[in-house]
Amino acid sequence: MPNSPTPTHCPYCALQCGMNLTPAPDGTVEVGERADFPVNRGALCGKGRTAPAVLSSRVRLTSPLVRSGGTLVPATWDEALDRIAGGLARTRSEHGPDACGVFGGGGLTNEKAYTLGKFARIVLGTSQIDYNGRFCMSSAAAGGIKAFGLDRGLPFPLEDIPKSGCVILVGSNPAETMPPALRFFTELKENGGTLIVIDPRRTRTAEQADLHLMPRPGTDLALALGLLHLVVAQGRVDEEYVRERTVGWEDARAAAMAHWPEYVERITGVPVPQLRETVRLFCEPESAMVLTARGPEQQSKGTDTVSAWINLCLATGRAGRPYSGYGCLTGQGNGQGGREHGQKADQLPGYRKLDDPAARAHVAEVWGVDPDTLPGPGRSAYELLDALGTDIRSLLLMGSNPVVSAPRAAHIEERIKSLDFLAVCDVVLSETAALADVVLPVTQWAEETGTTTNLEGRVLLRRKAISPPDGIRSDLEVLHELADRLGVEKGFPTDPEEVFEELRRASAGGPADYSGITYRRLAEENGVFWPCPTEDTAAEPGPTGNTAAQPHLTADTTAQPHPTGDTAPQPHPTADTAAHPGTPRLFLDRFAHPDGRARFVPVSHRAVAEEPDAEYPVLLTTGRVVAQYQSGAQTRRVDELNAAAPGPFVELHPRLAERLGAAEGDPVAVVSRRGRAVAPARITLGIRPDTVFMPFHWYGEGRANTLTNPALDPTSRMPEFKACAVRVEAVERQDAG
């Protein structure tokens, strides 16, 4: 009998596209369309189609490795686990628990993220845990919490985008970062809506826009304030909405009025007529959205920038209304769930705050420990990495590659090398894993079951489709074995569903409430949006006003109204089960602050941390290309993807290239105060003359993050990846002989 396909999800970006996996007779795995999943409706990008290539033993780790005489050599699991437990125990004994660090990843499942946070705080007793998602969505999260009282990347499903009248896409390039999502913007235009793209480069997404604004990198805050100034000046404020659903307008208005159009043009380089046209296109339709991504968020003022864009939505009555609002296009596969359940420095499961006594008491009861034994908040991601080898002497790292992905990467590489002990769990020998004392090979997405939460807040079930090779264990098994060796025999199950059941209890009553979600429901309903506080439809309304029971479909009924008033169907698990349907749309009745009102946050423009000067006259911005993903640890091992994107490059304007005497393909050096990177020139009119762009997927001399500035946002602790001062130099080609 042929193998039947297993419905599951892609391991890469936050779309978490649905796919079917079928083992082939030759031992490979075939990817098939899964048209029933609404996010991608069967479509996959090249990364998703080729994802099974990393399952091959040709590219993956197949045995534990331990360092011997300066070299990593194969070892038994017992030897490797004993060495990790011994290294962590020795550090804790000699230097205290906070000398042990833990660094996680935005690609870990909810179960792994939850267990990793529990392991750090109960087994190691350390406060020093954070994850690479801090580099991705933290500014949007901080801005959302300030304004709305709750952070969920998108407060509405992606399917709402085509029904909006206008979408402003700020610093996002979904045509390359999440290609199956581009169809939502294409459908928006087909439906008569308008797409406005704000990006200093003319990306593949910008080419689809009705209007493309090209601001100077790092000036998105001024741009948003200038638009709000025009909204006020043109009498386009929704006064009734502001009065009934918000607080703080007068202070935010006063701050915006200091940013008149001509002043904003001087800062951003965006002409005043384009500012006025943006306001017209945004305000004239009945509904409109602002969606941000890493462009405005990865700045030392990223939280304020997000707040400015939210203020624009609030002033025009665009938040908490059908087909309107502010949203963040989350990047990493489980970037949303990864920050909800405890691997972030200041958080406990359910998006609870670690310094909240009630939150500590609730989670401690679930864990069976005294709340007073839980450590307090620790360092943020960059600060944690910067402390390696000094305050933090040992590090357990899962699913991250900071040697490539961290800002000021050469410095972070040296900090990692200075550790007393480093243990890495990964599926491949990444550049960071290659520096470790112990490397553990762990199962991948297709070899394990677990949940992720996509950019919509839709909790999904990734199903195991194949068995891992002999000698490979799951991250949950690793944490179980380490906990046992470090004296904690119970509380670290290896079965993901058992972990999820505990996560449900730990999240109950928290902002990210998963307590009404089960594996059965996820399988039957194609995912459930949080908050979902109970399996009982008699639930009381939650903080958003939308968490009480909502009309749904039984197996044989006709469509009932959505919470927005639409009549599209809401699937329900079975005809005879009454379960809370989850919350696809937030804030329709009230926001999550105690008074139900959104907050305006008054903000003002300020410069990037490192402005150009005579020595470093150009701005560098970084990003991704369609064929590679994040640090490239996995995608750089796929032949088809490497053929499409074989290495780094420097994108620069013809005027800058002419001054350098550089032609297409010539090597050029980009130099910042932190280091030097060399890559071939890619000359294009689609970038500002004062800006260069580098993708950040590669190690070696073309590593873009050698250059980037670790200046941190004071609220989110997000580094300023998107703008730093550099100079560009021509490099002589080496003689072929």
Side-chain angles (χ1 to χ4, degrees):
M1 293 289 292
N3 290 307
S4 59
T6 299
T8 189
H9 296 273
C10 178
Y12 292 118
C13 83
L15 289 182
Q16 288 296 280
C17 290
M19 59 170 58
N20 286 319
L21 296 182
T22 306
D26 62 359
T28 60
V29 178
E30 296 178 353
V31 174
E33 290 188 2
R34 184 180 163 195
D36 68 310
F37 188 60
V39 170
N40 63 310
R41 301 179 199 162
L44 293 169
C45 72
K47 295 186 290 291
R49 286 189 296 99
T50 61
V54 188
L55 298 169
S56 168
S57 59
R58 182 177 63 87
V59 300
R60 72 180 301 168
L61 292 166
T62 57
S63 168
L65 303 173
V66 300
R67 192 164 295 279
S68 176
T71 304
L72 288 171
V73 298
T76 67
W77 271 94
D78 281 340
E79 180 184 358
L81 290 165
D82 287 346
R83 191 176 291 198
I84 295 174
L88 294 172
R90 185 166 53 253
T91 295
R92 189 174 56 179
S93 173
E94 294 176 359
H95 303 285
D98 273 358
C100 295
V102 177
F103 200 83
L108 300 180
T109 63
N110 290 318
E111 293 80 0
K112 294 177 186 179
Y114 172 85
T115 304
L116 188 62
K118 182 180 179 182
F119 177 87
R121 294 177 174 110
I122 289 182
V123 178
L124 297 179
T126 183
S127 66
Q128 300 304 304
I129 175 172
D130 211 82
Y131 84 125
N132 62 17
R134 177 80 67 172
F135 298 158
C136 205
M137 295 77 54
S138 57
S139 293
I145 290 170
K146 283 185 176 185
F148 308 131
L150 186 71
D151 158 47
R152 196 179 83 186
L154 291 180
F156 40 72
L158 284 163
E159 66 191 41
D160 283 4
I161 290 174
K163 302 171 187 176
S164 186
C166 177
V167 173
I168 299 179
L169 196 55
V170 190
S172 177
N173 182 17
E176 296 201 63
T177 59
M178 45 181 66
L182 190 63
R183 67 175 177 80
F184 293 106
F185 302 99
T186 302
E187 291 173 9
L188 165 77
K189 296 181 64 177
E190 290 172 350
N191 292 341
T194 302
L195 176 62
I196 301 171
V197 171
I198 298 173
D199 198 303
R201 302 168 60 226
R202 187 163 181 80
T203 63
R204 295 184 188 181
T205 304
E207 289 173 353
Q208 310 300 315
D210 297 285
L211 178 62
H212 175 207
L213 311 184
M214 297 180 70
R216 186 171 175 266
T219 63
D220 308 274
L221 173 54
L223 180 59
L225 287 163
L227 296 177
L228 184 53
H229 177 111
L230 286 170
V231 165
V232 175
Q234 295 176 9
R236 295 182 183 271
V237 175
D238 188 331
E239 301 286 357
E240 181 180 2
Y241 175 95
V242 168
R243 183 171 57 253
E244 294 182 355
R245 298 203 61 185
T246 73
V247 297
W249 168 232
E250 289 304 319
D251 288 342
R253 179 185 181 279
M257 296 314 288
H259 298 77
W260 60 96
E262 292 75 14
Y263 173 55
V264 170
E265 179 181 307
R266 289 200 302 272
I267 294 170
T268 65
V270 176
V272 170
Q274 286 192 350
L275 298 177
R276 296 186 185 279
E277 180 66 358
T278 300
V279 169
R280 184 187 71 80
L281 293 172
F282 184 70
C283 292
E284 285 187 352
E286 184 176 347
S287 58
M289 298 175 177
V290 172
L291 304 177
T292 68
R294 307 300 79 76
E297 298 163 16
Q298 286 182 327
Q299 299 183 27
S300 59
K301 53 181 182 294
T303 302
D304 283 359
T305 303
V306 167
S307 293
W309 288 106
I310 292 175
N311 287 349
L312 180 68
C313 292
L314 293 176
T316 53
R318 304 303 202 184
R321 283 180 169 171
Y323 314 128
S324 293
Y326 165 79
C328 159
L329 296 177
T330 301
Q332 295 190 77
N334 197 32
Q336 181 70 51
R339 68 180 183 263
E340 294 170 359
H341 297 302
Q343 66 170 336
K344 201 174 170 201
D346 58 349
Q347 287 178 358
L348 288 169
Y351 224 142
R352 287 182 159 90
K353 299 296 289 182
L354 191 53
D355 56 4
D356 177 1
R360 294 169 65 88
H362 173 86
V363 174
E365 183 178 5
V366 173
W367 288 352
V369 300
D370 185 334
D372 292 338
T373 65
L374 297 178
R379 292 175 172 87
S380 71
Y382 180 80
E383 292 164 307
L384 188 158
L385 295 171
D386 190 41
L388 299 180
T390 53
D391 294 339
I392 299 172
R393 310 304 296 261
S394 291
L395 182 69
L396 174 64
L397 185 145
M398 283 188 168
S400 186
N401 189 18
V403 163
V404 177
S405 63
R408 198 185 173 196
H411 169 73
I412 295 304
E413 183 173 357
E414 290 304 311
R415 301 282 11 108
I416 289 173
K417 290 177 178 177
S418 71
L419 282 164
D420 295 343
F421 182 80
L422 171 65
V424 173
C425 300
D426 211 329
V427 299
V428 297
L429 190 67
S430 70
E431 287 78 10
T432 305
L435 304 177
D437 297 284
V438 181
V439 183
L440 298 181
V442 290
T443 51
Q444 298 186 52
W445 57 288
E447 301 163 345
E448 60 188 11
T449 293
T451 63
T452 61
T453 306
N454 81 345
L455 75 171
E456 307 166 295
R458 189 194 304 252
V459 186
L460 304 166
L461 184 63
R462 275 194 199 159
R463 297 168 177 87
K464 179 178 178 179
I466 60 171
S467 295
D470 292 339
I472 306 295
R473 299 187 185 182
S474 73
D475 293 288
L476 294 180
E477 290 173 309
V478 168
L479 293 172
H480 171 87
E481 292 290 340
L482 291 177
D484 185 59
R485 283 167 167 78
L486 291 166
V488 180
E489 299 178 359
K490 296 181 180 180
F492 290 87
T494 60
D495 176 59
E497 187 169 8
E498 186 177 348
V499 175
F500 189 79
E501 288 299 303
E502 182 178 303
L503 182 156
R504 292 175 62 202
R505 299 194 302 275
S507 74
D513 192 333
Y514 284 31
S515 56
I517 304 174
T518 64
Y519 269 33
R520 178 189 62 81
R521 288 194 62 186
L522 294 177
E524 294 175 346
E525 299 177 51
N526 232 344
V528 177
F529 291 84
W530 72 260
C532 183
T534 175
E535 294 182 81
D536 180 3
T537 56
E540 292 296 319
T544 65
N546 304 107
T547 57
Q550 298 170 8
H552 57 262
L553 285 180
T554 57
D556 58 354
T557 59
T558 55
Q560 299 295 319
H562 269 197
T564 61
D566 297 337
T567 55
Q570 291 193 4
H572 194 258
T574 61
D576 57 358
T577 302
H580 187 290
T583 315
R585 296 168 180 86
L586 297 170
F587 313 136
L588 296 177
D589 302 318
R590 65 195 311 273
F591 295 97
H593 289 295
D595 62 2
R597 292 172 175 261
R599 270 55 173 160
F600 282 96
V601 178
V603 293
S604 296
H605 166 71
R606 63 181 187 274
V608 297
E610 190 176 74
E611 285 282 353
D613 56 21
E615 187 176 3
Y616 301 97
V618 178
L619 280 169
L620 168 72
T621 191
T622 64
R624 287 166 48 188
V625 297
V626 66
Q628 301 289 353
Y629 180 72
Q630 304 298 73
S631 76
Q634 295 182 48
T635 52
R636 284 188 276 116
R637 287 166 168 81
V638 179
D639 292 341
E640 180 180 330
L641 300 179
N642 280 333
F649 57 86
V650 180
E651 191 174 275
L652 64 163
H653 191 275
R655 267 190 261 163
L656 178 55
E658 184 179 4
R659 288 203 300 271
L660 296 173
E664 179 76 14
D666 285 351
V668 295
V670 183
V671 184
S672 78
R673 290 178 173 86
R674 288 153 295 282
R676 183 175 189 264
V678 178
R682 185 172 292 183
I683 301 171
T684 174
L685 288 167
I687 192 168
R688 291 175 55 95
D690 57 3
T691 302
V692 294
F693 166 82
M694 290 186 71
F696 61 83
H697 309 290
W698 288 275
Y699 184 62
E701 71 171 2
R703 178 174 58 184
N705 277 319
T706 296
L707 309 168
T708 48
N709 189 356
L712 301 181
D713 180 286
T715 302
S716 68
R717 316 308 289 169
M718 167 75 84
E720 192 153 59
F721 288 97
K722 291 303 183 191
C724 71
V726 298
R727 67 174 179 267
V728 187
E729 302 170 340
V731 176
E732 289 188 13
R733 290 183 181 271
Q734 296 297 314
D735 290 338

